[in-house]
Amino acid sequence: MDSKSFTAADLERSSKSSIFPPFSPFGDGQTNTHLDIPILNSEQSAPLSVAEAVVKMLQRLGVRHAFGISGGAIASLWASLEHSAIDVLHFRHEAGAGFAAIESYFVNNHPVVVFTTTGPGITNALTALFAARWEGAKVIFLSAATSAPQRGRWAFQETSTYTMPNELFCTSGSLFHYATTIESDDELPEVARRLALGLTRPGGFVAHLSIPTTTQSSLLKTPLPHANFSQALTSPEESAIAKAVQLLSEAPFAIWVGFGARGAATEIRQLAERTGAAVMSSPRGKGIFPENHPQYIGVTGFGGHASILQYMEEQRPGRILVLGTRLGEFTSFWNPAMIPSRGFVHIDIDPEVPGTAYPSVETFFVQSDVQVFVKSLLEYFPDRASQCPVLPHPDRAITSPRPKSPVRPDVLMDAIQRVFVEDSDAVVLTEAGNSFAWGTHTLRFTEPGRYRVSTGFGSMGHAATGVVGAALALNGKAVAIVGDGAMLMNNEINTAVKYQIPAVWIVLNDAHYNMCTQGMSLLGFNGVDTQMPSADFVAIARAMGADGICVEEETELQTALEKALASKVPFVVDVIIDPNQTAPFGNRIQSLIKQGAKEIKGDLSS
C-alpha cells in the first residue's frame, strides 16, 4: 500500500467537510449534516486491495480509532488498518475493545471501528455490539469470514452459514442496522453508500462488514465513485409545534430530560427558566440540566431520588415534556406515580419510542431532533424568567469521614464528588451494579457529557473497559467506578499501560457480588452464595505496569483520589468498602416484586 496516497492532511481536510463537527469532548451525536466520500481517485498510482479500499473508505467516513484483536483470518485488513491514518488499539478481549469503542464515540462524536477475526473473535464481541446498539453509538464492526472454497470443510474457526447463524451476523435486524458479507470488490460502492446513509441518520448506527480472507487481499478492478449525501436534522412541522405549545400551556408542566437531549442543554435550561417548569432527568441524562439548579428535582429510576415522587404526589403537573428518553425500566420502572394528570408530550428522533413505556397514557408525539424542537418551542414563550413554585430537591447529607475500617460507600462518593467531579473535567463512568446506584444517586453534575452509565444492556465490564476508550478520546482523565466482580470479569489495564492512557479505576472491593447479595436479601431470598475470594487490585495493576493505592480507612480517601488524578499512568484505587451499607436501589426491588420476583416457600433441595 502506498501510504503517501492518503496523508494525515488529507484526513484533516476530509474531516472538515464531513458530517462530523470539529472535535468536542462532549459531542451530542445528533448533528449530522453532510458527508462526502471520495473513496478512491483516478490518479491512484498502484492498484489497491479490497482491504485497503475499505480502510480508505473508513477514513473518509471520519473514523479515527479502531479497537480490536487481530488474527490470521483478518491479516490483510488488520495490516491495512495499521498502515493507515487510523489509530489501531490492540485489546486483550473483544468485548473490552467494543466497550472502549462505544465510550470513545460518546466523548468525541466520531464513528469508531471494532475489528475481530473469525469464530470466537466475533462471538466475544457480541455483548459489546449489543450494548452499542442499545446505547446509540455509531460503530462499524469489521470481521473476517471463511473464504468460499473452504466453507463447510471444517476450516479452523470456520465462520460461514455452515457453522454460524447468518441471521445474527450478516443480516440487518435487532443487532445490526446494516450487515453484509463482501464477496467482491463490485459491492464496495453500495457498501459505501449504505454506511454513509447510516452515519448521517439521527441516533446510533451499528454496521457489520464481514470480509472473507481471500476477498480482503483481492485487487480492485476499477476506481470507486464519489458518494455524496446531505441530511438535515429531523425537524417538526409548525402545526406540531403549535399543538405542543397548546398542550403545555393548559396547565403547569414538567420536563423529563434523557440522554437523547444532550445536545440541547442550553435550550432546555432557557425553556425551564422561561416557564418555571420543574426538571428531572434519567440516569443517563445527568448533567444536561444542572443538578444544582433550583428547578432541578432529581434523577428518576434506578438510583433515583425520593424528591421526584414527592413532587409528583404534591404538585403533579398537567403534562410532562419528555425529551430524548425511552422511559425504559431503569428510567421509570413504569411507575404509575410518574404519570401526569393529562399525559405526555414526547419528543424523540425514533418514532418507535413514544408510547412504549406507558401505552395506556395519552401521548402527543413529535418526531424531531430535540435541540431543533426546543429552539422552535422557545419562540412561543416570552424571553423572561418565570416564577417557579417551591420544589422538592434531592436530599444529600454529607457524612464526615471516620478513622475506621472499612469505607462506607456514600463517604467514598463524597470524596469522588470533590476530587473528580468538582476539581477536574474527568469523565465519570459507573458500572452496572451497586456502583451505578451509588454514582447516580450521589454524584452531582452541572454540564452534559461527564457522566456515563448503561441503563439498557447494562453489561458488567462495560465501564471497566470503556474507561480506556473515554480517556483515549478525551486525551485526559476518565474514571470508572466499578465493583470488584466487574473488575475481575473484564478490565483493560494492560491495554491502557501499552498505550499510556491515564485511565483511573475506583474499585468498590467487598469480596461480594454485593448488589446480588443485597437484592436477594431485600426480595426475601436467603442462603445464596455471592462471595468471592478477596483480590488485591493494586498488586494486579502493578504487575501489569500500572500504579495504584489501597484505601482501608475513610480518612485516606482524599489523598488517594488526588494521587490518582495526578498520576500520568493508569491507576487503580482499591477501596475496601463496608458491604453492609445498602445501595440506594429500593425502587428496583419494588419493580422486581411487581414482576413476580419473590421468595418461594417450600423445600426445593430434593
Side-chain angles (χ1 to χ4, degrees):
M1 176 179 177
D2 181 4
S3 61
K4 295 181 180 178
S5 65
F6 194 85
T7 65
D10 293 328
L11 180 60
E12 179 65 18
R13 285 192 292 272
S14 72
S15 296
K16 291 178 180 178
S17 64
S18 73
I19 62 171
F20 302 99
F23 174 82
S24 168
F26 309 118
D28 64 17
Q30 296 185 44
T31 311
N32 300 331
T33 55
H34 179 68
L35 181 57
D36 181 18
I37 317 175
I39 305 170
L40 293 179
N41 58 62
S42 58
E43 299 177 358
Q44 183 68 44
S45 58
L48 292 183
S49 68
V50 168
E52 292 168 331
V54 167
V55 170
K56 282 182 176 289
M57 176 175 66
L58 296 172
Q59 291 177 160
R60 292 295 188 180
L61 288 168
V63 171
R64 293 182 174 182
H65 295 103
F67 304 78
I69 296 180
S70 59
I74 202 173
S76 295
L77 191 52
W78 173 35
S80 297
L81 284 167
E82 289 280 5
H83 297 146
S84 73
I86 296 173
D87 288 332
V88 178
L89 293 99
H90 229 224
F91 274 64
R92 309 299 168 253
H93 193 278
E94 290 87 352
F99 290 134
I102 293 169
E103 296 309 319
S104 168
Y105 168 75
F106 282 122
V107 167
N108 67 17
N109 202 33
H110 282 261
V112 288
V113 159
V114 174
F115 63 93
T116 73
T117 190
T118 48
I122 297 171
T123 57
N124 283 347
L126 286 179
T127 299
L129 294 170
F130 272 110
R133 177 70 182 251
W134 283 56
E135 293 293 307
K138 283 184 162 68
V139 175
I140 300 170
F141 177 45
L142 303 179
S143 73
T146 302
S147 300
Q150 285 77 46
R151 292 173 192 165
R153 299 172 58 194
W154 297 109
F156 178 64
Q157 298 179 340
E158 179 168 340
T159 301
S160 72
T161 55
Y162 290 99
T163 59
M164 289 188 170
N166 189 61
E167 64 274 11
L168 177 61
F169 298 113
C170 296
T171 304
S172 302
S174 58
L175 175 53
F176 300 113
H177 294 92
Y178 168 61
T180 189
T181 298
I182 301 174
E183 303 282 7
S184 167
D185 68 308
D186 295 337
E187 300 175 63
L188 289 183
E190 179 61 14
V191 170
R193 187 184 76 86
R194 299 271 186 154
L195 291 179
L197 287 172
L199 292 174
T200 54
R201 70 187 295 274
F205 177 67
V206 182
H208 182 195
L209 305 184
S210 174
I211 312 177
T213 305
T214 300
T215 305
Q216 294 173 37
S217 57
S218 64
L219 298 180
L220 293 184
K221 302 179 186 68
T222 57
L224 298 180
H226 286 250
N228 270 287
F229 296 94
S230 294
Q231 180 173 334
L233 292 172
T234 306
S235 303
E237 294 187 2
E238 191 62 33
S239 59
I241 294 291
K243 179 66 173 177
V245 171
Q246 175 196 331
L247 296 175
L248 295 174
S249 300
E250 292 174 351
F253 70 93
I255 302 173
W256 200 340
V257 179
F259 187 62
R262 61 195 181 280
T266 300
E267 291 79 9
I268 292 170
R269 180 167 182 167
Q270 290 174 353
L271 179 64
E273 292 175 347
R274 290 185 190 184
T275 61
V279 182
M280 61 190 93
S281 73
S282 71
R284 291 203 305 163
K286 282 173 67 70
I288 295 173
F289 191 84
E291 294 190 80
N292 61 356
H293 194 284
Q295 288 172 243
Y296 184 73
I297 59 174
V299 180
T300 64
F302 187 82
H305 300 118
S307 51
I308 300 286
L309 296 179
Q310 179 186 347
Y311 166 77
M312 293 300 295
E313 180 180 351
E314 297 175 355
Q315 304 180 44
R316 184 177 302 273
R319 297 188 189 273
I320 294 180
L321 176 61
V322 181
L323 301 175
T325 169
R326 293 183 289 250
L327 300 183
E329 182 178 8
F330 266 33
T331 293
S332 69
F333 288 113
W334 312 303
N335 190 342
M338 295 303 299
I339 299 174
S341 60
R342 301 188 185 185
F344 297 109
V345 176
H346 200 148
I347 317 303
D348 207 280
I349 56 175
D350 186 347
E352 296 184 5
V353 165
T356 301
Y358 291 96
S360 62
V361 178
E362 179 185 333
T363 299
F364 178 69
F365 166 52
V366 181
Q367 184 177 9
S368 174
D369 170 84
V370 172
Q371 185 182 42
V372 171
F373 174 84
V374 179
K375 277 185 175 180
S376 299
L377 203 63
L378 285 169
E379 297 177 8
Y380 289 83
F381 292 95
D383 185 8
R384 62 174 182 269
S386 178
Q387 270 199 327
C388 179
V390 177
L391 297 169
H393 300 288
D395 183 19
R396 182 72 182 102
I398 304 299
T399 305
S400 299
R402 63 186 182 189
K404 295 180 181 180
S405 178
V407 175
R408 290 166 291 176
D410 61 343
V411 177
L412 169 60
M413 294 300 147
D414 288 342
I416 292 172
Q417 176 73 35
R418 292 191 301 272
V419 176
F420 282 101
V421 179
E422 296 173 4
D423 293 342
S424 84
D425 59 357
V427 171
V428 178
L429 299 85
T430 55
E431 191 68 82
N434 280 0
S435 302
F436 174 178
W438 283 114
T440 299
H441 188 80
T442 61
L443 300 180
R444 301 287 187 267
F445 295 88
T446 58
E447 55 190 323
R450 291 195 57 200
Y451 183 70
R452 281 285 299 139
V453 63
S454 174
T455 59
F457 211 59
S459 172
M460 289 178 63
H462 186 136
T465 56
V467 66
V468 178
L472 171 74
L474 187 64
N475 194 26
K477 287 288 180 180
V479 54
I481 305 172
V482 305
D484 47 354
M487 197 68 174
L488 288 169
M489 179 181 288
N490 198 355
N491 71 70
E492 293 285 346
I493 296 173
N494 189 269
T495 305
V497 170
K498 174 177 173 61
Y499 297 106
Q500 299 180 323
I501 299 171
V504 174
W505 292 261
I506 300 175
V507 185
L508 278 62
N509 190 348
D510 53 18
H512 280 77
Y513 285 121
N514 208 14
M515 183 181 188
C516 298
T517 302
Q518 295 178 354
M520 293 294 277
S521 176
L522 291 170
L523 287 170
F525 295 95
N526 298 306
V528 295
D529 180 13
T530 61
Q531 288 187 306
M532 62 184 74
S534 180
D536 184 341
F537 292 102
V538 174
I540 293 171
R542 288 176 176 165
M544 289 191 283
D547 199 1
I549 188 170
C550 182
V551 178
E552 296 182 344
E553 295 187 5
E554 293 171 357
T555 52
E556 302 169 350
L557 281 170
Q558 184 85 13
T559 300
L561 295 181
E562 288 174 349
K563 185 174 181 180
L565 180 63
S567 176
K568 303 299 183 183
V569 299
F571 199 95
V572 172
V573 183
D574 187 2
V575 185
I576 309 304
I577 66 165
D578 182 355
N580 298 312
Q581 187 175 26
T582 303
F585 60 80
N587 43 16
R588 165 65 167 166
I589 300 303
Q590 294 304 314
S591 178
L592 287 171
I593 290 173
K594 290 177 182 178
Q595 295 174 55
K598 55 186 177 181
E599 184 181 12
I600 299 173
K601 301 295 183 181
D603 184 7
L604 302 180
S605 60
S606 58

